[in-house]
């Protein structure tokens, strides 16, 4: 069988060298090109036509999401796996929605990356184990958020956008006491000890982007 031809895309040369050493030890794998930013990734893809692209997200040249879109516009059948330091489910959701076939966090064991490559080549989508757990946790949290009333949800969304209780009250035409009572109800429903934990839960549920 012909080897699986791989393009490495990461702006850190040391990281790319680590991938190259890892994949070079695997039978049937061949790293055919490297790129350090999104623009170079498209150029390398069109020149080398790899079977798999391992793509970082945080890079110069438009970043990983833009590179995924550019490559898929050139070849809708491209097999792209995101390998990223970002571990929030929202990043994996966005990557898969953009057309990536897999998402592996950089904290995963090396064999997770090898498994992801063989899984995607076989025509399936894949998440590393830690990302699968994050998806499961996010799903549970989304179920919790579904139990909020429309007013509670509006108040929470304004809170995570940086408004305090008084500003929320003015924005929604409510009294400050009503807002505080609703925030108490929200904390009770979501099992949050304070506003900081509420914001973290909203972030994990995808109601507010991770920073």
């Amino acid at each position: 069988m012909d080897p699986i031809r791989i393009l490495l895309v990461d702006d850190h040369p040391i990281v790319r060298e680590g991938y190259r050493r890892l994949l070079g030890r695997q039978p049937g794998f061949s790293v055919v090109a490297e790129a350090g930013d999104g623009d170079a990734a498209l150029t390398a893809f069109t020149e080398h036509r790899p079977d798999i692209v391992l793509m970082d997200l945080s890079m110069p040249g438009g970043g990983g999401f833009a590179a995924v879109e550019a490559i898929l516009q050139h070849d809708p059948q491209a097999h792209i796996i995101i390998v990223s330091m970002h571990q929030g489910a929202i990043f994996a959701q966005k990557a898969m929605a953009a057309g990536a076939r897999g998402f592996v966090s950089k904290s995963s064991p090396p064999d997770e990356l090898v498994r992801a490559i063989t899984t995607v080549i076989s025509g399936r989508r894949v998440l590393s184990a830690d990302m699968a757990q994050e998806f499961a946790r996010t799903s549970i949290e989304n179920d919790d958020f579904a139990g909020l009333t429309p007013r509670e949800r509006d108040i929470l969304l304004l809170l995570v956008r940086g408004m305090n209780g008084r500003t929320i009250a003015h924005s929604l035409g409510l009294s400050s006491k009503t807002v505080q009572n609703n925030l108490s109800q929200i904390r009770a429903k979501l099992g949050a000890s304070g506003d900081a934990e509420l914001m973290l839960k909203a972030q994990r549920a995808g109601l507010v982007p991770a920073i």
Side-chain angles (χ1 to χ4, degrees):
M1 292 179 60
D2 293 334
I4 298 172
R5 304 171 70 255
I6 301 168
L7 165 62
L8 305 178
V9 186
D10 194 292
D11 60 331
H12 294 96
I14 292 178
V15 173
R16 297 200 306 271
E17 178 63 20
Y19 291 155
R20 182 180 284 277
R21 289 177 180 270
L22 167 66
L23 300 175
R25 297 195 299 266
Q26 310 303 317
F29 286 6
S30 176
V31 175
V32 296
E34 299 181 17
D37 59 55
D39 295 335
L42 178 59
T43 299
F45 181 85
T46 57
E47 180 179 350
H48 295 277
R49 308 297 298 177
D51 302 306
I52 289 283
V53 180
L54 299 182
M55 178 82 69
D56 190 17
L57 285 182
S58 300
M59 298 184 299
F65 287 121
V68 169
E69 293 176 356
I71 289 173
L72 288 172
Q73 284 178 359
H74 183 80
D75 180 4
Q77 302 305 314
H79 292 71
I80 302 172
I81 300 173
I82 299 299
V83 187
S84 175
M85 63 178 289
H86 298 296
Q87 293 180 282
I90 187 65
F91 290 98
Q93 290 167 341
K94 288 181 178 179
M96 297 303 222
R101 304 290 182 93
F103 194 106
V104 177
S105 74
K106 286 185 175 179
S107 61
S108 301
D111 62 340
E112 288 266 15
L113 182 59
V114 174
R115 179 181 66 86
I117 291 171
T118 56
T119 299
V120 168
I121 280 293
S122 72
R124 292 173 291 162
R125 296 179 182 270
V126 67
L127 296 171
S128 57
D130 56 348
M131 290 307 306
Q133 292 174 355
E134 182 67 17
F135 261 82
R137 181 172 64 180
T138 299
S139 177
I140 292 171
E141 289 176 346
N142 281 334
D143 287 343
D144 292 339
F145 277 87
L148 299 181
T149 67
R151 173 179 286 179
E152 289 169 346
R153 195 176 182 88
D154 288 343
I155 289 173
L156 177 59
L157 288 174
L158 293 178
L159 177 72
V160 299
R161 290 172 186 167
M163 292 189 182
N164 59 29
R166 181 175 299 178
T167 307
I168 292 172
H170 179 75
S171 177
L172 296 179
L174 302 171
S175 68
S176 294
K177 182 178 180 180
T178 297
V179 170
Q180 292 304 322
N181 288 341
N182 275 271
L183 285 172
S184 295
Q185 286 287 90
I186 295 168
R187 287 192 288 268
K189 287 182 178 181
L190 299 181
S193 59
D195 290 349
E197 189 174 357
L198 274 183
M199 294 182 72
L200 178 60
K201 285 177 175 289
Q203 183 183 94
R204 287 174 174 169
L207 296 181
V208 59
I211 299 173

